[in-house]
Amino acid sequence: MIFELNGVNVIAELTTTVTLLDLLRTDFGLTSVKKGCEQGECGACTVLLDGMPVCSCLVLAPQVEGKRVTTIEGLSENPLMKELRDAFMENGAVQCGFCTPGMLLSSFALLRDNRHPTEDEVKVAIEGNICRCTGYVKIIEAILDAAEKISPD
Amino acid sequence: MRTLTGITLLKTHTLVGALEILSTLDKVQPIAGGTDLIPLIREVESKSTHFIDIYSIKELNGIYEESDSIIIGSTTTHSQLLSSKTVSEKIPALHDACSLIGSIQIRNRGTIGGNLCNASPAADSAPPLLVHDAEVNVSSLSKNQWMPLEEFFKGPKISALKSDELLIGIKVPISGNGCSAFKRIGRRKSFTLSIVNAAAFVERDGDSIKNLRLSIGSVAPTPLRMKKVEKEFIGSKLNHQTLTEIGQACSGQVNPIDDVRGTAEYRRDISSVLIKRALIEAWSRTGGK
Ligand SMILES: Cc1cc2nc3c(=O)[nH]c(=O)nc-3n(C[C@H](O)[C@H](O)[C@H](O)COP(=O)(O)OP(=O)(O)OC[C@H]3O[C@@H](n4cnc5c(N)ncnc54)[C@H](O)[C@@H]3O)c2cc1C
Ligand code: FES
Ligand code: FES
């Protein structure tokens, strides 16, 4: 099976049926994609599928044939992602970090499509990402901060 | 890495291809967004050995406005429905429901067809579609039929689908100048199955109810239409007293159970509250006070 992973066409040898989450972690070593609940509840496994956040634990690997999969590794040089990363660090929005890759991807998708989100829109965007550590306040502040930096008006 | 035991995923890009596979192979089940199925196959040993991926069949996806109805393909996602102007204007209760389902990740993947075929009594798209008198198209290689959505639900997690059939699409008639609304109560806001959900459709004639359709979910083995109550109150004026009476009449029609998400008594009480809230919202959307 061929699909696009972080901007590069890759081949996956699928001998058995696994989830996209397992494929990314095991075959491609992308351990930023975290395995939490495997029930679609926690969002730690969030990836962008054709640009949209989905839980990779709820996608079967063969279902991404011909599609575009993006993890934070693929956005490391992206200006918007850099802004978000900085804002997360500056605002103390990271504690253990387990939720962070998923949070970054969900907030990236938000700010890509909506440069001036309200606090409520930020909350909706990260509703599917559970954080056990921060209590969300600093994460929300970080996302609003990044939004301000990318369009300062 | 965990292998999903004994599961193979079959792929096809055409509807006919999918129907052929369903009619020839044993133990094959359709998979769309997988948001209901995949957690399930992890928990219990799935009875299916093959899944047929219907997500990539283009014919099954999309929202089409016709002269007297709106057609929704079965693999249309909750996110697609949420961003559709046709849906927010013509089927507002469905727009409400889609905004409350799961999280963005779930809405980007989960489909309206999967929500209905899973046949959960708590499915959030059911009450909105029921009050809009929706019909569903069920097809196999040899048969293609429309049936009222009400007849599609047979019991908890049981639909009218046979093993060789697919839900193709949903038809929502465009009805006069009525409006609808949907309300739900869940453990947290969004992101969990509803404890109770309710939808109301109302057409207004001054301060009187010209047409009324009500539905409540998660209070019986299937989502329910409140036809007896509807009949009783068509023609009445809508005021505090009739609202209270409609709420009471509805809670008399439901047949809830106790479970981890809520007790039967709570469900009965809350169904009256929710149906009133949905009706008030639908009424105000028609411009009524
Ligand atoms: C974290 C989480 C939160 C959720 N929150 C909600 C919520 O708030 N409200 C709610 O109602 N639901 C919720 N759900 C349930 C689920 O997301 C929805 O029911 C979704 O719409 C299912 O669609 P799917 O495409 O993912 O279905 P799938 O999992 O692909 O399929 C579900 C069932 O339908 C069958 N099927 C699917 N499509 C067809 C078809 N066209 N023809 C015949 N059979 C078909 C499958 O064989 C399977 O039995 C949630 C799920 C998760 C994991
Ligand atoms: S691991 Fe996928 S949502 Fe929790
Ligand atoms: S920082 Fe620990 S889970 Fe969010």
Side-chain angles (χ1 to χ4, degrees), chain B residues 157-231:
Chain B
K157 300 269 173 175
I158 307 165
S159 76
L161 282 175
K162 299 196 187 71
S163 61
D164 63 342
E165 290 176 333
L166 279 180
L167 175 70
I168 306 296
I170 299 136
K171 179 159 71 185
V172 181
I174 297 174
S175 24
N177 36 24
C179 279
S180 66
F182 169 87
K183 300 282 173 189
R184 62 174 255 184
I185 299 249
R187 200 157 31 94
R188 281 174 278 160
K189 184 182 164 281
S190 307
F191 213 47
T192 178
L193 290 184
S194 293
I195 297 173
V196 177
N197 54 18
F201 172 94
V202 66
E203 268 181 272
R204 190 172 59 84
D205 182 6
D207 57 0
S208 298
I209 300 171
K210 188 171 156 205
N211 198 357
L212 180 68
R213 296 195 289 267
L214 305 168
S215 171
I216 307 180
S218 215
V219 289
T222 63
L224 293 180
R225 261 286 291 274
M226 301 279 118
K227 286 195 169 157
K228 224 174 123 192
V229 184
E230 294 166 8
K231 253 203 213 115

Side-chain angles (χ1 to χ4, degrees), chain B residues 37-54:
Chain B
L37 257 185
I38 294 176
L40 205 73
I41 53 184
R42 281 219 192 76
E43 267 169 27
V44 290
E45 201 69 17
S46 174
K47 57 182 187 320
S48 294
T49 44
H50 305 293
F51 284 125
I52 165 91
D53 187 7
I54 59 167

Side-chain angles (χ1 to χ4, degrees), chain A residues 108-146:
Chain A
F108 175 85
L110 169 73
L111 296 189
R112 180 197 57 203
D113 300 339
N114 177 2
R115 302 228 137 199
H116 300 279
T118 61
E119 186 172 332
D120 279 343
E121 285 169 332
V122 170
K123 284 182 184 167
V124 168
I126 59 166
E127 208 166 44
N129 295 84
I130 289 178
C131 175
R132 305 169 307 169
C133 307
T134 65
Y136 303 100
V137 176
K138 291 182 172 178
I139 294 176
I140 294 164
E141 283 169 359
I143 298 168
L144 289 169
D145 233 30

